[in-house]
Amino acid sequence: MRGFRARKVAAPQVSADVGSWLPRRSSQAGDWPVADLVAAKGDTTVSVVIPARDEEATVGDIVRTIRRDVVERHQLVDEVMVVDSRSQDATARVAAEAGATVVAQDSVLSALPGLQGKGEALWKGLAASTGDIVVFVDGDLYDFTSDYVTGLLGPLLTDDSIAYVKGFYHRPLVGAVSTDADGGGRVTELVARPLLNLYWPELAGFVQPLAGEYAGRREVLERVPFVANYGVEVGHLIDILESYGLDALAQVDLGKRTHRHQNTQALGRMSGQIMLTVFDRLERYGRLVSAEPPATMLAQFRRGESGHGVDRELVVTDLACEQRPPLATLRAADGTGLREIA
Ligand SMILES: O=c1ccn([C@@H]2O[C@H](COP(=O)(O)OP(=O)(O)O)[C@@H](O)[C@H]2O)c(=O)[nH]1
Ligand SMILES: O=C(O)[C@@H](COP(=O)(O)O)O[C@H]1O[C@H](CO)[C@@H](O)[C@H](O)[C@H]1O
């Protein structure tokens, strides 16, 4: 019998577009020295907006680090704002004592009914802040450094063709007794990355598509909707890709990110919110038309009082959420500057 010759099968590859985008639009925080950025800044103004719900343990150090390094020592950042997202703890006081401008989420654009969620906090922070460039930083970070801010600003202050920059990092999963060096980003690895690779393979090059640290030009951020809950990040990536193209997006390696982790039931709800956002965008951009809209109720089971025939507590969450419209449409409709109605 002739020797069996395995058919040479080419190794799977990302698309040529992603393959060329990766080296062209990826950098590291160290590529952007703060002195170069101050020189490049000119009269461009920069706001850092920190969404914070019950982050009294961490928000103060984040604000102090930003103020020390890139407000006082180097005049790179013009505004440090914390959006108090209906906190039940001392987040607002801790942030104010650290030197942040603190706005209560529901006090911004208060003529509108307030919504619950991270995206709502970000949208309100965008409306209340003033910078030409806005940097978003989560308020639950443990090893935050101002490199996060300079790294995200680098591409935006030096290349007008870039509209939005995502951070990426190694993401340890810090447990009570051990740490998994790359175990973090569970929703990213189990939900967001597979969905984006299946339906928006143009975004396959993003190392951390759900990164909570990112920055954008106000003129772009005010022209995209904000999903009010945890779907906000994936919604941004898809909407900005569709409206501005892949080359308007970039990413910067910020090293390592350690943050407060939610439990898996909470991440199950986050996953559902992200999936609903992706399904909404699939319909919106005509990439998939479903015969039936997805349901929005998520039933979860946890230890607790028995019921419904099982020795578990049944917890049902409605994952549906509103999407805040692009802020620019509010201004257009109102005919005044947002600042007046913020
Ligand atoms: O309704 C919300 C939910 C979250 N956050 C903030 O958004 C950031 C990221 O949220 P979280 O840590 O809950 O998400 P995770 O990082 O666990 O995915 C944190 O600073 C939260 O305090 C907020 O301001 N309002
Ligand atoms: O990336 C993820 O899988 C989640 C959960 O992270 P961990 O598994 O707790 O490290 O965290 C991110 O996702 C949220 C939804 O997009 C963002 O809002 C968070 O800022 C980000 O931390």
Side-chain angles (χ1 to χ4, degrees):
M1 182 176 72
R2 282 193 310 165
F4 173 74
R5 284 179 53 210
R7 185 165 57 86
K8 280 182 82 59
V9 177
Q13 303 287 333
V14 291
S15 70
D17 286 351
V18 171
S20 73
W21 176 86
L22 263 167
R24 198 159 26 82
R25 285 298 196 236
S26 302
S27 60
Q28 301 187 351
D31 296 336
W32 310 106
V34 63
D36 295 359
L37 299 185
V38 172
K41 171 181 160 83
D43 58 5
T44 302
T45 55
V46 175
S47 296
V48 176
V49 172
I50 303 169
R53 181 183 62 183
D54 298 335
E55 304 298 3
E56 65 179 5
T58 44
V59 72
D61 283 346
I62 296 168
V63 170
R64 276 185 290 274
T65 300
I66 295 170
R67 288 196 54 81
R68 180 196 63 209
D69 294 351
V70 286
V71 174
E72 291 150 13
R73 187 174 300 159
H74 299 280
Q75 290 71 47
L76 184 62
V77 169
D78 303 283
E79 179 179 46
V80 184
M81 177 173 286
V82 170
V83 180
D84 178 14
S85 184
R86 300 180 175 176
S87 297
Q88 300 299 308
D89 68 2
T91 291
R93 174 176 59 76
V94 168
E97 287 172 357
T101 301
V102 181
V103 294
Q105 172 178 302
D106 294 323
S107 70
V108 179
L109 295 176
S110 54
L112 302 172
L115 299 177
Q116 171 72 31
K118 183 190 178 183
E120 172 76 352
L122 296 174
W123 191 74
K124 295 294 186 71
L126 180 65
S129 60
T130 58
D132 302 318
I133 293 175
V134 181
V135 182
F136 293 110
V137 173
D138 279 0
D140 66 333
L141 305 179
Y142 288 111
D143 48 13
F144 172 83
T145 68
S146 50
D147 286 358
Y148 280 38
V149 175
T150 53
L152 292 169
L153 286 172
L156 290 165
L157 287 174
T158 58
D159 186 338
D160 291 344
S161 70
I162 293 173
Y164 191 91
V165 180
K166 289 289 287 191
F168 68 91
Y169 13 60
H170 293 295
R171 297 188 65 178
L173 181 63
V174 181
V177 293
S178 65
T179 293
D180 174 349
D182 290 311
R186 291 161 290 172
V187 176
T188 296
E189 300 307 333
L190 296 172
V191 176
R193 193 184 311 284
L195 272 176
L196 291 176
N197 276 260
L198 294 180
Y199 291 110
W200 271 279
E202 308 95 303
L203 296 173
F206 278 91
V207 180
Q208 289 294 341
L210 298 188
E213 287 65 51
Y214 45 100
R217 297 188 194 285
R218 177 174 295 275
E219 69 202 66
V220 171
L221 293 169
E222 291 194 354
R223 281 164 180 77
V224 292
F226 277 54
V227 178
N229 60 26
Y230 286 115
V232 61
E233 278 88 15
V234 76
H236 277 179
L237 273 188
I238 294 170
D239 291 338
I240 293 172
L241 171 75
E242 293 286 347
S243 299
Y244 297 90
L246 182 59
D247 242 35
L249 294 156
Q251 62 181 354
V252 182
D253 187 348
L254 304 177
K256 185 178 82 163
R257 180 200 199 229
T258 310
H259 70 122
R260 173 185 39 73
H261 299 294
Q262 299 186 69
N263 64 35
T264 46
Q265 296 244 331
L267 297 189
R269 293 186 286 276
M270 175 189 290
S271 299
Q273 292 173 1
I274 289 168
M275 293 166 83
L276 281 179
T277 300
V278 172
F279 297 154
D280 172 79
R281 292 316 192 262
L282 283 168
E283 300 270 356
R284 184 177 299 207
Y285 295 111
R287 292 203 178 199
L288 186 74
V289 178
S290 53
E292 287 292 324
T296 63
M297 294 301 164
L298 174 68
Q300 293 176 302
F301 297 87
R302 67 181 177 203
R303 290 173 190 272
E305 69 258 16
S306 307
H308 310 276
V310 292
D311 181 19
R312 296 288 184 283
E313 180 187 359
L314 171 60
V315 180
V316 182
T317 306
D318 186 354
L319 300 174
C321 97
E322 295 193 44
Q323 310 206 28
R324 288 299 192 186
L327 279 168
T329 61
L330 282 191
R331 179 191 296 116
D334 183 77
T336 63
L338 275 178
R339 239 65 62 213
E340 288 73 51
I341 59 174

PDB file of all heavy atoms in Angstrom, residues 155-169:
ATOM      1  N   PRO A 155      -2.169  56.766  21.595  1.00  0.00           N
ATOM      2  CA  PRO A 155      -2.611  56.756  20.188  1.00  0.00           C
ATOM      3  C   PRO A 155      -3.540  57.931  19.856  1.00  0.00           C
ATOM      4  O   PRO A 155      -3.488  58.488  18.763  1.00  0.00           O
ATOM      5  CB  PRO A 155      -3.338  55.416  20.060  1.00  0.00           C
ATOM      6  CG  PRO A 155      -2.767  54.565  21.165  1.00  0.00           C
ATOM      7  CD  PRO A 155      -2.483  55.505  22.291  1.00  0.00           C
ATOM      8  N   LEU A 156      -4.382  58.330  20.813  1.00  0.00           N
ATOM      9  CA  LEU A 156      -5.364  59.385  20.535  1.00  0.00           C
ATOM     10  C   LEU A 156      -4.711  60.759  20.414  1.00  0.00           C
ATOM     11  O   LEU A 156      -5.151  61.607  19.626  1.00  0.00           O
ATOM     12  CB  LEU A 156      -6.432  59.404  21.632  1.00  0.00           C
ATOM     13  CG  LEU A 156      -7.394  58.214  21.636  1.00  0.00           C
ATOM     14  CD1 LEU A 156      -8.148  58.133  22.955  1.00  0.00           C
ATOM     15  CD2 LEU A 156      -8.378  58.311  20.473  1.00  0.00           C
ATOM     16  N   LEU A 157      -3.645  61.007  21.166  1.00  0.00           N
ATOM     17  CA  LEU A 157      -2.986  62.321  21.119  1.00  0.00           C
ATOM     18  C   LEU A 157      -1.980  62.424  19.983  1.00  0.00           C
ATOM     19  O   LEU A 157      -1.463  63.497  19.695  1.00  0.00           O
ATOM     20  CB  LEU A 157      -2.295  62.622  22.456  1.00  0.00           C
ATOM     21  CG  LEU A 157      -3.218  62.964  23.627  1.00  0.00           C
ATOM     22  CD1 LEU A 157      -2.425  63.107  24.926  1.00  0.00           C
ATOM     23  CD2 LEU A 157      -4.005  64.251  23.343  1.00  0.00           C
ATOM     24  N   THR A 158      -1.710  61.292  19.314  1.00  0.00           N
ATOM     25  CA  THR A 158      -0.666  61.335  18.272  1.00  0.00           C
ATOM     26  C   THR A 158      -1.156  60.905  16.890  1.00  0.00           C
ATOM     27  O   THR A 158      -0.414  60.994  15.928  1.00  0.00           O
ATOM     28  CB  THR A 158       0.497  60.393  18.672  1.00  0.00           C
ATOM     29  OG1 THR A 158      -0.025  59.065  18.851  1.00  0.00           O
ATOM     30  CG2 THR A 158       1.145  60.860  19.975  1.00  0.00           C
ATOM     31  N   ASP A 159      -2.393  60.433  16.811  1.00  0.00           N
ATOM     32  CA  ASP A 159      -2.897  59.964  15.509  1.00  0.00           C
ATOM     33  C   ASP A 159      -4.379  60.313  15.388  1.00  0.00           C
ATOM     34  O   ASP A 159      -5.233  59.667  15.991  1.00  0.00           O
ATOM     35  CB  ASP A 159      -2.685  58.446  15.389  1.00  0.00           C
ATOM     36  CG  ASP A 159      -3.059  57.930  14.001  1.00  0.00           C
ATOM     37  OD1 ASP A 159      -3.853  58.611  13.304  1.00  0.00           O
ATOM     38  OD2 ASP A 159      -2.574  56.847  13.641  1.00  0.00           O
ATOM     39  N   ASP A 160      -4.671  61.335  14.588  1.00  0.00           N
ATOM     40  CA  ASP A 160      -6.064  61.808  14.448  1.00  0.00           C
ATOM     41  C   ASP A 160      -6.978  60.759  13.844  1.00  0.00           C
ATOM     42  O   ASP A 160      -8.192  60.868  13.922  1.00  0.00           O
ATOM     43  CB  ASP A 160      -6.113  63.069  13.564  1.00  0.00           C
ATOM     44  CG  ASP A 160      -5.483  64.271  14.258  1.00  0.00           C
ATOM     45  OD1 ASP A 160      -5.298  64.190  15.501  1.00  0.00           O
ATOM     46  OD2 ASP A 160      -5.163  65.269  13.570  1.00  0.00           O
ATOM     47  N   SER A 161      -6.393  59.739  13.200  1.00  0.00           N
ATOM     48  CA  SER A 161      -7.254  58.739  12.537  1.00  0.00           C
ATOM     49  C   SER A 161      -7.794  57.718  13.534  1.00  0.00           C
ATOM     50  O   SER A 161      -8.654  56.905  13.197  1.00  0.00           O
ATOM     51  CB  SER A 161      -6.455  58.013  11.439  1.00  0.00           C
ATOM     52  OG  SER A 161      -5.472  57.167  12.023  1.00  0.00           O
ATOM     53  N   ILE A 162      -7.296  57.757  14.761  1.00  0.00           N
ATOM     54  CA  ILE A 162      -7.749  56.808  15.789  1.00  0.00           C
ATOM     55  C   ILE A 162      -8.817  57.471  16.647  1.00  0.00           C
ATOM     56  O   ILE A 162      -8.658  58.611  17.097  1.00  0.00           O
ATOM     57  CB  ILE A 162      -6.567  56.327  16.642  1.00  0.00           C
ATOM     58  CG1 ILE A 162      -5.618  55.483  15.777  1.00  0.00           C
ATOM     59  CG2 ILE A 162      -7.042  55.510  17.848  1.00  0.00           C
ATOM     60  CD1 ILE A 162      -4.338  55.086  16.463  1.00  0.00           C
ATOM     61  N   ALA A 163      -9.934  56.762  16.850  1.00  0.00           N
ATOM     62  CA  ALA A 163     -11.092  57.345  17.551  1.00  0.00           C
ATOM     63  C   ALA A 163     -11.306  56.749  18.935  1.00  0.00           C
ATOM     64  O   ALA A 163     -11.896  57.397  19.803  1.00  0.00           O
ATOM     65  CB  ALA A 163     -12.354  57.114  16.712  1.00  0.00           C
ATOM     66  N   TYR A 164     -10.808  55.505  19.137  1.00  0.00           N
ATOM     67  CA  TYR A 164     -11.195  54.757  20.347  1.00  0.00           C
ATOM     68  C   TYR A 164     -10.092  53.741  20.625  1.00  0.00           C
ATOM     69  O   TYR A 164      -9.634  53.053  19.704  1.00  0.00           O
ATOM     70  CB  TYR A 164     -12.510  54.042  20.045  1.00  0.00           C
ATOM     71  CG  TYR A 164     -13.270  53.399  21.181  1.00  0.00           C
ATOM     72  CD1 TYR A 164     -14.238  54.098  21.894  1.00  0.00           C
ATOM     73  CD2 TYR A 164     -13.067  52.070  21.512  1.00  0.00           C
ATOM     74  CE1 TYR A 164     -14.982  53.501  22.895  1.00  0.00           C
ATOM     75  CE2 TYR A 164     -13.795  51.456  22.518  1.00  0.00           C
ATOM     76  CZ  TYR A 164     -14.764  52.169  23.198  1.00  0.00           C
ATOM     77  OH  TYR A 164     -15.502  51.557  24.191  1.00  0.00           O
ATOM     78  N   VAL A 165      -9.642  53.694  21.867  1.00  0.00           N
ATOM     79  CA  VAL A 165      -8.521  52.824  22.245  1.00  0.00           C
ATOM     80  C   VAL A 165      -8.909  51.957  23.440  1.00  0.00           C
ATOM     81  O   VAL A 165      -9.362  52.490  24.459  1.00  0.00           O
ATOM     82  CB  VAL A 165      -7.285  53.673  22.613  1.00  0.00           C
ATOM     83  CG1 VAL A 165      -6.115  52.768  23.009  1.00  0.00           C
ATOM     84  CG2 VAL A 165      -6.887  54.588  21.451  1.00  0.00           C
ATOM     85  N   LYS A 166      -8.746  50.642  23.293  1.00  0.00           N
ATOM     86  CA  LYS A 166      -9.041  49.706  24.385  1.00  0.00           C
ATOM     87  C   LYS A 166      -7.743  49.303  25.055  1.00  0.00           C
ATOM     88  O   LYS A 166      -6.713  49.096  24.393  1.00  0.00           O
ATOM     89  CB  LYS A 166      -9.708  48.432  23.839  1.00  0.00           C
ATOM     90  CG  LYS A 166     -11.113  48.551  23.330  1.00  0.00           C
ATOM     91  CD  LYS A 166     -12.147  48.767  24.432  1.00  0.00           C
ATOM     92  CE  LYS A 166     -12.423  47.548  25.265  1.00  0.00           C
ATOM     93  NZ  LYS A 166     -13.624  47.725  26.155  1.00  0.00           N
ATOM     94  N   GLY A 167      -7.795  49.168  26.370  1.00  0.00           N
ATOM     95  CA  GLY A 167      -6.657  48.593  27.075  1.00  0.00           C
ATOM     96  C   GLY A 167      -6.691  47.081  26.979  1.00  0.00           C
ATOM     97  O   GLY A 167      -7.741  46.478  26.722  1.00  0.00           O
ATOM     98  N   PHE A 168      -5.545  46.443  27.160  1.00  0.00           N
ATOM     99  CA  PHE A 168      -5.520  44.997  27.405  1.00  0.00           C
ATOM    100  C   PHE A 168      -4.431  44.681  28.413  1.00  0.00           C
ATOM    101  O   PHE A 168      -3.536  45.505  28.641  1.00  0.00           O
ATOM    102  CB  PHE A 168      -5.404  44.173  26.108  1.00  0.00           C
ATOM    103  CG  PHE A 168      -4.100  44.262  25.351  1.00  0.00           C
ATOM    104  CD1 PHE A 168      -3.047  43.376  25.592  1.00  0.00           C
ATOM    105  CD2 PHE A 168      -3.947  45.222  24.342  1.00  0.00           C
ATOM    106  CE1 PHE A 168      -1.865  43.434  24.855  1.00  0.00           C
ATOM    107  CE2 PHE A 168      -2.764  45.283  23.595  1.00  0.00           C
ATOM    108  CZ  PHE A 168      -1.730  44.387  23.854  1.00  0.00           C
ATOM    109  N   TYR A 169      -4.517  43.522  29.023  1.00  0.00           N
ATOM    110  CA  TYR A 169      -3.642  43.213  30.144  1.00  0.00           C
ATOM    111  C   TYR A 169      -3.750  41.727  30.459  1.00  0.00           C
ATOM    112  O   TYR A 169      -4.692  41.045  30.009  1.00  0.00           O
ATOM    113  CB  TYR A 169      -4.026  44.004  31.403  1.00  0.00           C
ATOM    114  CG  TYR A 169      -5.381  44.691  31.353  1.00  0.00           C
ATOM    115  CD1 TYR A 169      -6.550  43.953  31.166  1.00  0.00           C
ATOM    116  CD2 TYR A 169      -5.499  46.075  31.493  1.00  0.00           C
ATOM    117  CE1 TYR A 169      -7.789  44.581  31.115  1.00  0.00           C
ATOM    118  CE2 TYR A 169      -6.732  46.703  31.438  1.00  0.00           C
ATOM    119  CZ  TYR A 169      -7.872  45.958  31.258  1.00  0.00           C
ATOM    120  OH  TYR A 169      -9.101  46.584  31.183  1.00  0.00           O
TER     121      TYR A 169
END
